[in-house]
Amino acid sequence: MATRTTDSPTAEDREFAFSASDYDYLRAMLKEKTGIELGPTKHNMVYARLAKRLRKLGMNGFREYIEFIGSDAGGDELGTTLNALTTNLTKFFRENHHFEHLATTALQEIRARAVSQGRRLRIWSAGCSSGEEPYSTAITLLRSMPDIKQWDAKILATDIDTEMVRRGTAGIYPAAALEGMPADIPRKYFEPYGEDKVRMAEEARNLISFKHLNLVAHWPMKGPFDVIFCRNVVIYFDKDTQRVLFDRYANLLAPGGFLYIGHSENLFGITERFKLLGRNIHRKIA
Ligand SMILES: C[S@@+](CC[C@H](N)C(=O)[O-])C[C@H]1O[C@@H](n2cnc3c(N)ncnc32)[C@H](O)[C@@H]1O
């Protein structure tokens, strides 16, 4: 007899019928629309993330749901499905060495260049989730650039998940998210918001534009960017998708610009347009 656990319901336990071909369909659709590749064994994850939605819509099973996504009546159900299937784990100052590098090296280089080229600074957080990464970037700028008001400084923060873009734009987080930050940061860059929440200070919010953007589709921006963060995003993409994406990043970065990628990602065999400086910090060289 199959063992029952809450995490891994067996097919017989399931409230909604979910066949192998339903799973394959959703998996292929996710890959086509977002570049995200689910392994062949993520049935339970997909089921758990979408079952709530089927219940809300009063559906009988995944076949009916899949037909609904593709129908006119489905409206933006495809967007809702994609939101449910993305993984959005993030936190403030995650992989803090990138923010240290930004403060001590990247911004210093950009400042030196500004003497001849003007005080323009462009940073892109690609796959920004709920905003902790671009806000950590904004705080780093505010802390290390006392003259920031004299700069044309902008951070673009994009994600495919519309709910994440909404949350980032709101800039409201649980107060617990501040734990472990140096004391001056909560005091200067967050304000109390209701019971157990905080909101990003206006000066940090004003530096960032949050936008919905699919990394495997058309990009309206022209660049150039001085720095691109794309961390813990391509881990879900296959190598060919990564090749195209990193080539596009190189095209959009200024000469010598920096690319930060996540701790379990690398550019080996993907592109030779960057030089690894260490700790997943890359400089555009071609
Ligand atoms: C694990 S989070 C990483 C967040 C942040 N960069 C960090 O390292 O903390 C990955 C994010 O990439 C986004 N993402 C996945 N595929 C995407 C795509 N094709 N276009 C844009 N964003 C995508 C997801 O919605 C998710 O919010």
Side-chain angles (χ1 to χ4, degrees):
M1 210 175 106
T3 324
R4 286 170 185 236
T5 68
T6 23
D7 288 348
S8 340
T10 61
E12 312 88 74
D13 287 333
R14 285 185 177 139
E15 177 184 355
F16 301 107
F18 184 39
S19 67
S21 69
D22 295 339
Y23 176 67
D24 288 344
Y25 179 90
L26 289 169
R27 198 176 150 212
M29 184 196 76
L30 187 68
K31 171 83 198 296
E32 186 204 322
K33 303 286 180 196
T34 70
I36 298 172
E37 259 203 323
L38 293 179
T41 59
K42 298 282 183 189
H43 301 72
N44 286 328
M45 186 197 90
V46 170
Y47 183 91
R49 291 188 180 187
L50 291 174
K52 230 188 319 176
R53 191 71 194 140
L54 269 72
R55 206 170 296 127
K56 189 159 182 207
L57 293 167
M59 304 220 150
N60 293 317
F62 275 72
R63 180 54 30 202
E64 191 186 352
Y65 184 63
I66 287 167
E67 277 161 20
F68 180 66
I69 297 172
S71 70
D72 289 345
D76 190 31
E77 192 60 31
L78 174 61
T80 307
T81 312
L82 299 183
N83 286 359
L85 295 179
T86 54
T87 295
N88 309 114
L89 186 76
T90 188
K91 63 178 201 158
F92 285 104
F93 296 101
R94 181 182 195 185
E95 298 175 47
N96 190 43
H97 49 276
H98 291 152
F99 301 99
E100 281 167 2
H101 179 270
L102 179 66
T104 59
T105 307
L107 291 179
Q108 305 316 318
E109 278 192 18
I110 294 161
R111 183 177 284 287
R113 215 167 49 216
V115 175
S116 57
Q117 295 179 10
R119 294 177 171 185
R120 179 186 182 278
L121 172 61
R122 292 289 182 275
I123 300 181
W124 180 14
S125 166
C128 64
S129 189
S130 39
E132 288 86 337
E133 179 179 279
Y135 283 123
S136 302
T137 307
I139 293 168
T140 303
L141 299 193
L142 291 166
R143 284 176 102 207
S144 44
M145 297 176 70
D147 62 343
I148 193 156
K149 287 210 167 70
Q150 277 119 56
W151 282 71
D152 169 17
K154 290 186 183 147
I155 300 168
L156 173 67
T158 63
D159 204 281
I160 196 170
D161 185 330
T162 50
E163 172 57 18
M164 292 304 119
V165 174
R166 188 196 65 72
R167 285 198 211 166
T169 307
I172 298 165
Y173 300 97
L178 304 179
E179 276 164 25
M181 287 184 195
D184 71 297
I185 296 183
R187 203 176 51 240
K188 284 198 197 145
Y189 304 110
F190 292 85
E191 52 207 39
Y193 190 88
E195 273 274 294
D196 289 323
K197 296 201 174 106
V198 289
R199 186 169 199 204
M200 291 305 311
E202 197 179 357
E203 58 175 342
R205 279 188 280 124
N206 286 345
L207 281 172
I208 308 178
S209 297
F210 283 92
K211 303 266 183 235
H212 176 244
L213 182 126
N214 184 350
L215 290 171
V216 299
H218 168 73
W219 302 347
M221 324 72 89
K222 301 268 176 286
F225 288 96
D226 301 292
V227 177
I228 296 177
F229 287 77
C230 182
R231 306 183 313 160
N232 309 301
V233 177
V234 305
I235 189 177
Y236 306 105
F237 295 173
D238 67 20
K239 297 280 179 210
D240 284 339
T241 309
Q242 292 187 28
R243 258 175 217 118
V244 174
L245 184 63
F246 286 115
D247 203 45
R248 292 174 84 190
Y249 286 153
N251 292 342
L252 231 54
L253 272 168
F258 295 101
L259 171 70
Y260 302 132
I261 65 174
H263 62 283
S264 52
E265 297 159 340
N266 66 70
L267 301 186
F268 297 116
I270 302 284
T271 172
E272 300 202 333
R273 297 184 68 186
F274 294 89
K275 177 173 188 253
L276 176 61
L277 304 180
R279 307 201 74 183
N280 281 346
I281 300 165
H282 298 80
R283 185 194 282 286
K284 171 179 160 172
I285 52 166

